[in-house]
Amino acid sequence: DSSEGEGGRGRRTQARRGQMRSRPRPRSAPSPGRRAAARAGAAGATPWVSQRLGFGTMMLGGEAHDAAESRALLDRAVLEHGIRLLDTAEMYPVPQCAATAGASERVVGEWLARRRKTVARDALVLSTKVCGPSGEMAWIRGGPERVDARHIRQAVEGSLRRLRVDAIDIFHVHWPDRYVPMFGEDLYDPSRRFVQAGAGKGGGGGGGRQSALSATKAQLEEQMAALGVLMREGKVRRVGLSNETPWGLMHCRRLSLQRDGQREQHQHQEKEEEEEPGRFFPEVSYVQNAYNLLCRSFDAGLSECCLEEGVHLLAYSPLAMGLLTGKYRHDFDNQHHPGEDPGDRDRGREAYRLNVYKGRYAEAEQRYERTPAVEAAVRRYCALAAEAGMRPVELALRFVLSHPCLGPDPTLTDIENNMATAATREGERKGAGVGGCA
């Protein structure tokens, strides 16, 4: 978010001013270390300008990147390229397992501690998420059946410990605890919308069945109220949703308007009455959903909601888990790739993420199944990139960065241009590295 205020126009205006202040041009060419420190200092002066480019840490600390390699990638993203948004989650890295759960957050926390003299905490925006319902991840609080107030608090406190910070800048609900089509599903099935009241821990009493609408509203109200308490305590600064639908976003936005209406109605009452515990519904400022040239479901409804409501998109998988680099094409090895590391060809396509984790990564296989239609689309995008004189990864990143919901200024900044042009080998090999969360 770009401002502590409530108005969308104020956020957009201050974001433009913040971007102007954060990009001073040095009179001389200082050393790389001094450039990094200067960038961190400038960023710290305006920590809430819109973050249009981020570093996704989903693969750090796991099988793909050990702790040392993960720290090197963080150095490259923040110190070399000036990235300020670091996105993680309590369930990362993936593929998820009990042995590595929380490792991505721990790596980020250790890196922050090592670099505290170079990068000020306020120079970065830390984003993380509470795990949604999952019977498969029993190692996370026994496999939560729903995202209730208790699970949210435990998730926040656990993330704070692993990240070694006092506050989380953006805290998301990773996925809804109601039924919605996600992770590769396209069509909504109304027959799956009913839930059992009180089925999960912390659920409302009364037994029997509730309508989907009343049950879902109660769940969202509990989540937003719990996040409101954590915001009052200073542990969470901004709230976001992930893998959410237009209805879910707009209902949570209505809750924040209800909060504002309550403030107006009780403006003459005592402050403690106005801030009744559990009744503060924070404004949802971010939506983190998949968005790329192969997955544009965000544009079907959420795009309008976010644009009109002033909600920023944090787009994940801008390279469609590597498909849009072209490296999974059957004719890839017969192509000439300027600047390619020869080691890439020696390792072959078997070393790439979607092949290494085949059968262990359901989301990737559902959402980015390599059908003939997908392969044809990738070939066409690669040809289009060649016609424009750029690499496929650059085309993919520039497409995502052009979306107005990523921030108020559609003009690419110097950092974004450099990152899109660089097309780092890490992003092309395994999908980790800068650009993981645009």
Side-chain angles (χ1 to χ4, degrees):
D1 205 279
S2 57
S3 169
E4 296 291 340
E6 297 287 334
R9 180 174 299 177
R11 285 195 298 269
R12 287 191 287 270
T13 302
Q14 293 191 32
R16 291 193 184 98
R17 294 173 180 167
Q19 288 171 345
M20 291 175 65
R21 287 196 300 268
S22 65
R23 297 201 299 273
R25 294 186 178 275
R27 296 181 179 178
S28 59
S31 66
R34 292 186 64 183
R35 283 200 301 270
R39 278 196 295 267
T46 54
W48 286 109
V49 296
S50 175
Q51 298 301 303
R52 290 166 43 82
L53 194 68
F55 182 94
T57 68
M58 185 175 73
M59 309 297 290
L60 302 192
E63 298 176 31
H65 301 290
D66 61 21
E69 188 175 7
S70 297
R71 290 193 296 269
L73 288 171
L74 287 164
D75 279 344
R76 188 170 189 177
V78 178
L79 300 182
E80 293 184 25
H81 296 293
I83 299 300
R84 292 175 47 210
L85 170 63
L86 303 181
D87 180 74
T88 187
E90 65 170 344
M91 63 166 278
Y92 290 167
V94 297
Q96 57 271 27
C97 67
T100 61
S104 296
E105 288 184 328
R106 281 191 290 271
V107 164
V108 172
E110 292 167 2
W111 178 84
L112 284 170
R114 287 169 176 254
R115 292 288 180 261
R116 63 182 180 274
K117 294 183 179 180
T118 307
V119 181
R121 165 64 183 91
D122 290 342
L124 298 174
V125 175
L126 297 182
S127 166
T128 191
K129 315 173 195 73
V130 56
C131 180
S134 176
E136 298 179 358
M137 289 186 284
W139 53 86
I140 299 180
R141 295 182 299 280
E145 297 179 0
R146 54 182 296 249
V147 186
D148 58 20
R150 179 175 65 88
H151 284 294
I152 288 174
R153 175 169 289 277
Q154 291 178 356
V156 167
E157 293 176 348
S159 293
L160 289 173
R161 287 193 300 270
R162 289 185 290 271
L163 291 169
R164 305 188 187 187
V165 295
D166 297 325
I168 296 166
D169 296 315
I170 310 172
F171 191 75
H172 306 260
V173 176
H174 206 154
W175 61 87
D177 62 0
R178 68 187 190 280
Y179 159 71
V180 296
M182 58 183 175
F183 301 139
E185 293 182 316
D186 295 322
L187 302 178
Y188 181 78
D189 181 1
S191 67
R192 299 172 63 184
R193 64 191 290 259
F194 291 98
V195 298
Q196 182 72 34
K201 297 179 181 179
R209 296 189 66 85
Q210 288 182 316
S211 70
L213 183 60
S214 59
T216 296
K217 285 184 175 180
Q219 291 169 350
L220 289 175
E221 288 180 12
E222 180 179 358
Q223 292 169 12
M224 292 298 107
L227 291 168
V229 170
L230 290 162
M231 286 185 71
R232 286 202 305 266
E233 294 176 359
K235 296 178 179 179
V236 171
R237 292 174 177 167
R238 292 289 187 275
V239 169
L241 302 173
S242 184
N243 300 295
E244 190 49 274
T245 66
W247 185 90
L249 169 62
M250 293 308 296
H251 183 72
C252 291
R253 294 285 295 182
R254 281 195 295 269
L255 288 175
S256 67
L257 294 176
Q258 174 183 328
R259 171 204 66 186
D260 294 336
Q262 289 174 344
R263 283 179 174 175
E264 294 177 4
Q265 181 180 357
H266 301 293
Q267 59 183 337
H268 299 300
Q269 294 183 2
E270 296 293 332
K271 182 177 181 180
E272 58 267 22
E273 294 180 6
E274 185 177 328
E275 296 186 356
E276 178 186 354
R279 297 303 301 172
F280 168 61
F281 298 125
E283 180 180 0
V284 174
S285 303
Y286 299 88
V287 166
Q288 185 170 158
N289 278 36
Y291 187 69
N292 55 64
L293 284 167
L294 295 177
C295 179
R296 298 185 60 182
S297 56
F298 176 83
D299 284 332
L302 267 171
S303 181
E304 179 185 17
C305 295
C306 288
L307 192 62
E308 299 301 336
E309 293 290 317
V311 176
H312 293 302
L313 167 66
L314 298 180
Y316 70 80
S317 293
L319 300 180
M321 296 191 175
L323 289 180
L324 289 169
T325 67
K327 67 184 181 182
Y328 289 101
R329 292 170 54 189
H330 292 304
D331 57 349
F332 178 82
D333 290 332
N334 298 322
Q335 300 290 317
H336 173 66
H337 303 278
E340 179 187 40
D341 185 344
D344 282 350
R345 295 195 181 195
D346 294 338
R347 297 171 68 186
R349 286 193 298 270
E350 291 75 14
Y352 298 146
R353 176 169 48 158
L354 295 181
N355 295 329
V356 171
Y357 304 127
K358 188 175 182 180
R360 300 174 55 199
Y361 200 179
E363 178 197 349
E365 295 176 16
Q366 285 181 264
R367 179 178 281 153
Y368 303 113
E369 183 180 1
R370 281 172 275 175
T371 63
V374 168
E375 292 185 353
V378 170
R379 285 196 299 272
R380 184 67 188 96
Y381 284 133
C382 289
L384 183 63
E387 293 170 11
M390 62 180 70
R391 300 174 73 178
V393 65
E394 183 179 353
L395 174 70
L397 291 179
R398 288 184 182 276
F399 168 78
V400 176
L401 286 167
S402 70
H403 201 290
C405 289
L406 264 73
D409 186 0
T411 303
L412 295 181
T413 67
D414 293 340
I415 288 176
E416 292 164 358
N417 271 309
N418 292 338
M419 285 308 305
T421 304
T424 59
R425 288 197 297 269
E426 286 78 19
E428 293 185 318
R429 283 177 178 169
K430 298 182 180 180
V434 176
C437 176

